[in-house]
Amino acid sequence: MNKIIIAIDGHSSCGKSSTAKGAASRLDYTYIDTGAMYRAVTLYFHNHHISLSNDKEIEEALDAIDIEFRKDKLGKSLTVLNGVSVENEIRKLYIANKVSEVSALPQVRHAMVAQQRKMGQKKGVVMDGRDIGSVVFPDAELKIFMTADPVVRAHRRQAELMEKGDFMSFEDILENLKKRDYLDSTRKESPLIQVPDAEIIDTSHMTLEEQIALVCILADEATAHKLNSANND
């Protein structure tokens, strides 16, 4: 009764996943990285040469895909595709360049949304993505829309890649982010939108700790509102 669904939407590389993970840990909630789910599907499609224009191939591939989240010995969340951790591989740029196109496919979105709704049935989840507050959980008690200046986001993304030993020029990363923003916002199936009742967080000049703290404050307020509403009923 005292747990809620926290839906975090927004642009890529604005801190959604890191903030969602941190808030989930602090609130003792379950973190669900929907972006990782779409990246895992993209990796499977890439490895198995699935044609994005062949409906039969797509349906058969989706039937063969099993995605789950596990924690390693240090408590870090791992994305597991068909029993194998793909956490590092799905973060590479060749996946980032393809994930918007794959995730725009209606069959893919319907399959992933069904899994996401099942994961959130018991409440107490923090879920981030592009359509969580608009499609997956339109009745979520707390909806957040995160954004940041594209240049800031590109610098952050470059730093993340360099930490993993991958180098990509700033210009290429910025172009990739702009392309993904356009594709995510203009696709027909579940586009990225800012729902009217979402709390807006611009992370351009915020530290990760400040982002996490703000989400936790908003979560406490939303939980209190839920309890008060229940008591008044």
Side-chain angles (χ1 to χ4, degrees):
M1 184 64 188
N2 62 344
K3 289 195 173 185
I4 63 173
I5 291 175
I6 302 174
I8 303 179
D9 293 308
H11 299 105
S12 57
S13 298
C14 65
K16 292 192 311 299
S17 295
S18 297
T19 300
K21 288 177 186 176
S25 176
R26 197 162 299 180
L27 295 166
D28 195 25
Y29 275 32
T30 298
Y31 167 64
I32 299 172
D33 184 352
T34 64
M37 296 174 72
Y38 288 107
R39 284 172 174 264
V41 172
T42 302
L43 176 62
Y44 185 94
F45 280 21
H46 172 81
N47 289 344
H48 292 80
H49 310 289
I50 303 301
S51 170
L52 301 189
S53 60
N54 189 316
D55 289 343
K56 183 179 179 181
E57 281 190 16
I58 293 170
E59 293 291 351
E60 290 177 349
L62 289 171
D63 287 341
I65 291 174
D66 177 68
I67 300 171
E68 59 181 318
F69 295 99
R70 300 177 187 170
K71 289 185 178 181
D72 64 13
K73 294 179 180 179
L74 299 177
K76 178 184 175 182
S77 178
L78 300 176
T79 307
V80 178
L81 173 62
N82 292 343
V84 178
S85 174
V86 293
E87 186 63 34
N88 291 329
E89 196 65 23
I90 63 173
R91 306 299 173 182
K92 294 185 177 179
L93 196 62
Y94 79 97
I95 296 298
N97 283 331
K98 296 180 179 179
V99 65
S100 291
E101 189 177 6
V102 172
S103 61
L105 296 170
Q107 308 98 308
V108 173
R109 297 213 72 83
H110 294 163
M112 293 302 103
V113 167
Q115 288 194 33
Q116 292 154 15
R117 284 177 175 160
K118 187 175 181 180
M119 292 175 178
Q121 283 178 344
K122 295 182 179 180
K123 306 276 186 173
V125 299
V126 182
M127 192 175 291
D128 74 294
R130 301 291 190 280
D131 61 350
I132 310 307
S134 58
V135 175
V136 184
F137 290 113
D139 296 324
E141 292 87 348
L142 175 58
K143 301 174 189 176
I144 293 171
F145 188 89
M146 293 180 67
T147 188
D149 183 273
V151 172
V152 173
R153 291 158 53 203
H155 280 301
R156 289 174 179 172
R157 181 63 180 148
Q158 188 177 47
E160 290 174 2
L161 290 171
M162 290 181 71
E163 282 183 8
K164 297 174 182 177
D166 295 329
F167 178 78
M168 208 73 194
S169 74
F170 174 81
E171 291 75 16
D172 286 346
I173 294 172
L174 182 60
E175 185 62 30
N176 171 256
L177 290 178
K178 289 180 177 179
K179 177 183 176 183
R180 290 187 64 188
D181 286 349
Y182 176 78
L183 291 173
D184 290 341
S185 301
T186 59
R187 67 188 179 213
K188 292 182 179 180
E189 191 72 23
S190 304
L192 169 65
I193 60 171
Q194 179 187 311
V195 294
D197 54 341
E199 300 281 351
I200 304 170
I201 300 178
D202 187 328
T203 69
S204 299
H205 305 292
M206 294 178 70
T207 65
L208 176 58
E209 174 56 35
E210 289 171 337
Q211 294 169 43
I212 294 170
L214 179 54
V215 171
C216 289
I217 290 171
L218 293 172
D220 288 342
E221 292 175 350
T223 302
H225 177 74
K226 177 185 178 183
L227 292 173
N228 288 335
S229 297
N231 290 334
N232 290 334
D233 291 342

